[in-house]
Amino acid sequence: MTPIDASSPLDIIFVPAQTGKPIGTIVVLHGWGANHDDLGELVPYFKLPEYQFLFPNGTFDHEYSETGKMWYSFTGAGQLNDRSLAQLVTSREVLTTWIESLPTSTGIPLDRTWIAGFSQGGTMTLEIGLDLPVAGLIVLSGYLHQNRAKPPQSAPSVLLVHGRQDDVVPLAAAQKSREILTQWGVNVQYQEFDMGHSIAPEVLDTVRSFVTK
């Protein structure tokens, strides 16, 4: 994995397509306290050799980890205070601007670009992706912010995946997200697995099917 785009405000790791010229781009956002290396090891298991992967680091240093990053901070029980909301706005703006610039830097249009994320990264995927003309959104163990504005009618399709035994992000949060998105008219594919706050091998099969179908 090699870093790219030194001019970006984000620290990014790039994994090129294994087959030469890519047919699509997959942006993957890590969770709270992890970093852009965390999910990079999963690339071979996605079994999407014709796609290039981009892993940006979180906008802010994590409060309790020397190597961890975050998109915004939490207070007790995952609640957002004024500082958290300000960080969320910053991360949303930085990520949106960067993703909108990807067709120029990668040669792949946004309608062949997927945004994926795990945990807080999944939440950020919905935060930014519903307003972008991307190919699809992949939310792994994430959820929709309750104060999230209704997206435009052309919002991309969403894959929501969650573990029934998730003790970090409650299953009910994913179910509520599915309910709201469906009410908004978003095309949602929802699937639960017998797992905790993790990514089981069968989840990657579901992701691959969502991207390639």
Side-chain angles (χ1 to χ4, degrees), residues 17-212:
Q18 300 173 33
T19 55
K21 186 176 180 179
I23 64 172
T25 298
I26 301 177
V27 174
V28 186
L29 308 180
H30 65 75
W32 188 71
N35 58 44
H36 58 11
D37 293 318
D38 184 55
L39 299 176
E41 297 177 354
L42 293 178
V43 170
Y45 302 100
F46 280 106
K47 297 180 182 178
L48 293 168
E50 297 176 316
Y51 294 77
Q52 61 187 5
F53 287 77
L54 296 172
F55 298 87
N57 242 352
T59 318
F60 299 96
D61 292 332
H62 193 260
E63 295 132 321
Y64 312 120
S65 169
E66 293 184 0
T67 60
K69 294 286 186 176
M70 62 183 183
W71 302 105
Y72 53 90
S73 60
F74 284 122
T75 57
Q79 299 300 308
L80 302 181
N81 57 19
D82 290 344
R83 176 170 176 263
S84 305
L85 290 171
Q87 291 175 334
L88 174 60
V89 169
T90 297
S91 289
R92 183 171 62 224
E93 292 175 349
V94 169
L95 276 172
T96 298
T97 299
W98 173 63
I99 289 173
E100 288 177 334
S101 74
L102 287 181
T104 300
S105 60
T106 67
I108 302 296
L110 287 182
D111 63 7
R112 293 296 302 166
T113 298
W114 285 257
I115 307 175
F118 174 72
S119 194
Q120 190 184 66
T123 302
M124 284 303 302
T125 295
L126 289 173
E127 182 70 24
I128 62 172
L130 288 170
D131 299 312
L132 291 172
V134 294
L137 308 178
I138 300 163
V139 182
L140 310 177
S141 303
Y143 59 94
L144 182 73
H145 283 131
Q146 292 300 303
N147 61 347
R148 175 62 171 80
K150 183 178 180 179
Q153 292 184 347
S154 58
S157 297
V158 175
L159 170 64
L160 278 176
V161 173
H162 216 89
R164 297 187 184 97
Q165 293 80 39
D166 194 326
D167 58 356
V168 177
V169 178
L171 179 62
Q175 295 171 337
K176 182 65 175 179
S177 300
R178 174 187 57 178
E179 177 185 339
I180 294 172
L181 291 169
T182 300
Q183 289 174 351
W184 286 350
V186 178
N187 179 28
V188 180
Q189 178 181 333
Y190 178 84
Q191 195 157 350
E192 297 175 3
F193 291 92
D194 285 321
M195 64 181 186
H197 196 65
S198 60
I199 303 175
E202 54 266 34
V203 170
L204 300 182
D205 295 336
T206 301
V207 170
R208 182 168 59 255
S209 175
F210 179 75
V211 170
T212 58

